[in-house]
Amino acid sequence: MITALDKHTALVLIDLQNGVVEMPLAHPVISVIKNAAKLVTAFRKAGLPVVIVNVNPSGAAWTTARKEPSTMPSRPFKENWTDIVPEIEIQSTDILITKTTWGAFYDTELDEQLKAKGVTGIVLAGISTSIGVEGTARQASALGYNITFAKDAMTDLFAEAHENSLAYIFPRIGEIDVTDKIVKFV
């Protein structure tokens, strides 16, 4: 349950992009996107930073470092695979990050950009809960950010993985609540 948000909190949306939302997900993606858009509206209205992250693992070192075959399907990405879904209307003031791994802080400018804006807390949402959201949350925690999770603005490929993150990982590093309660603190 949410108790407060830092005055200097940013919204960080993970991988709400065409190629990811088209995957078979554990929860209806329409609801996840709707709640993420509601968070975007609240943060923009409050004049707080909005970070929009997509993933493009093509050519990343980890994709060629494995000795055993990857369990990921090897198929070419569609042309618009990395494009953010239109419901999340990108604005010129948004911070745009392309990550190549699970976490949005690794080998990107995200930490520097947030610190330059005085950000001390983040609200996290997106896909997938146990990969991109959790990977980013672990890195954010190590960097000292206060973290809030919008549980109804995220989903996973597997319901069990989603529930594991919400039940066992996220409570150790942040607060968890639904979008409607989080926006009341923005």
Side-chain angles (χ1 to χ4, degrees):
M1 176 172 42
I2 188 169
T3 59
L5 284 180
D6 294 4
K7 289 189 332 186
H8 304 286
T9 296
L11 173 64
V12 179
L13 297 180
I14 303 296
D15 303 345
L16 293 177
Q17 63 192 69
N18 291 332
V20 174
V21 302
E22 292 173 358
M23 294 178 171
L25 300 167
H27 304 92
V29 75
I30 293 169
S31 296
V32 171
I33 293 170
K34 179 181 152 203
N35 287 323
K38 191 182 291 187
L39 289 164
V40 168
T41 299
F43 272 74
R44 287 188 180 140
K45 184 177 179 185
L48 294 171
V50 173
V51 179
I52 299 173
V53 179
N54 68 351
V55 62
N56 185 356
S58 297
W62 69 268
T63 64
T64 59
R66 295 178 67 147
K67 292 182 181 178
E68 71 278 356
S70 173
T71 58
M72 294 297 294
S74 61
R75 56 176 161 59
F77 295 133
K78 291 182 184 177
E79 184 177 326
N80 67 348
W81 196 88
T82 60
D83 293 352
I84 300 301
V85 295
E87 294 87 347
I88 307 300
E89 298 172 6
I90 297 173
Q91 294 187 357
S92 61
T93 55
D94 294 339
I95 298 170
L96 304 176
I97 299 291
T98 296
K99 63 185 178 74
T100 60
T101 64
W102 288 14
F105 287 94
Y106 178 76
D107 203 22
T108 71
E109 300 285 326
L110 181 55
D111 187 42
E112 292 83 3
Q113 290 189 43
L114 292 179
K115 286 191 168 125
K117 293 182 178 293
V119 171
T120 54
I122 62 172
V123 171
L124 270 170
I127 304 170
S128 80
T129 309
S130 68
I131 298 175
V133 176
E134 185 175 318
T136 299
R138 288 172 182 259
Q139 292 169 349
S141 178
L143 291 166
Y145 291 94
N146 293 312
I147 306 167
T148 302
F149 299 94
K151 68 181 177 181
D152 59 348
M154 63 179 73
T155 189
D156 203 289
L157 293 168
F158 306 100
E160 298 83 5
H162 173 81
E163 292 304 325
N164 184 74
S165 294
L166 287 171
Y168 301 108
I169 306 300
F170 295 168
R172 299 180 81 174
I173 56 178
E175 295 184 330
I176 307 165
D177 221 321
V178 295
T179 298
D180 287 340
K181 289 189 180 173
I182 292 170
V183 297
K184 290 178 182 178
F185 286 89
V186 175

